[in-house]
Amino acid sequence: MSTDPAAPTSLHAVTVLGHDRPGIIAEATGRLAELGLNLEDSSMTLLRGHFAMTLVCAGPVRALEIEQALAPLTGDGTLTVTVRDVPDEHAQSHHTGSGWVLTVHGGDRAGIVSAVVGRVAEVGGNITDLTTRLAGELYLLIAEIDLPADADVAALERAIGDAATGLGVGATLRAVEADEL
């Protein structure tokens, strides 16, 4: 498949979801590389045995070409692929506050995520990454949070602690150490 040299360089969000099997990442990223697309951001994981990949790639290729190139991944009906353009105004990070890590652990029950991260939303915090795991009866949540510069962190810690206590789980909030890549 050839790229359109007249197409402007743009960002595309690609998702691949479905039954896990060896080779999904290699096939998807290989097809994107053949189109001349550069992977700028990605997240890939297994969710209860189901593969989930989201990535943002850039290049002079139209979304339809990407969909066509990735169509063979969906041939057996076990994977779903979506491609959409990412508008330029959404391409840049809007982190203006401070970075924090929220950890919640304890017995599993419905409502843990909504109750705890709801406290973050109440102060204008933004969840930038969230992972949850269930190991037997133990539930673990780890979230990266961007808090506004004027957020009252001590009050937020108390609110999260109150929510966690009400659910019978533990929670901690700590500042992120700066990434140096």
Side-chain angles (χ1 to χ4, degrees), residues 94-132:
H94 297 288
H95 300 259
T96 57
S98 57
W100 297 82
V101 174
L102 170 65
T103 304
V104 179
H105 62 279
D108 187 33
R109 64 182 291 178
I112 294 173
V113 175
S114 65
V116 176
V117 301
R119 301 307 185 268
V120 174
E122 289 171 358
V123 300
N126 188 30
I127 306 291
T128 58
D129 192 58
L130 185 139
T131 300
T132 63

Side-chain angles (χ1 to χ4, degrees), residues 8-143:
T9 296
S10 57
L11 290 175
H12 307 279
V14 177
T15 62
V16 180
L17 302 170
H19 291 286
D20 188 37
R21 61 175 160 77
I24 297 171
I25 296 171
E27 185 176 355
T29 57
R31 291 180 181 278
L32 296 173
E34 288 172 1
L35 292 172
L37 292 162
N38 185 44
L39 299 184
E40 295 198 350
D41 207 354
S42 66
S43 180
M44 304 165 199
T45 192
L46 288 178
L47 301 170
R48 294 277 174 169
H50 294 272
F51 179 79
M53 175 171 72
T54 302
L55 55 89
V56 174
C57 55
V61 181
R62 300 186 194 288
L64 180 59
E65 287 180 83
I66 299 169
E67 289 175 353
Q68 291 171 341
L70 296 176
L73 286 163
T74 66
D76 66 0
T78 62
L79 291 174
T80 301
V81 174
T82 63
V83 179
R84 71 173 186 85
D85 294 328
V86 177
D88 287 341
E89 66 269 11
H90 295 174
Q92 299 301 316
S93 173
H94 297 288
H95 300 259
T96 57
S98 57
W100 297 82
V101 174
L102 170 65
T103 304
V104 179
H105 62 279
D108 187 33
R109 64 182 291 178
I112 294 173
V113 175
S114 65
V116 176
V117 301
R119 301 307 185 268
V120 174
E122 289 171 358
V123 300
N126 188 30
I127 306 291
T128 58
D129 192 58
L130 185 139
T131 300
T132 63
R133 291 279 187 252
L134 181 61
E137 296 297 318
L138 180 63
Y139 187 80
L140 174 65
L141 174 154
I142 300 172

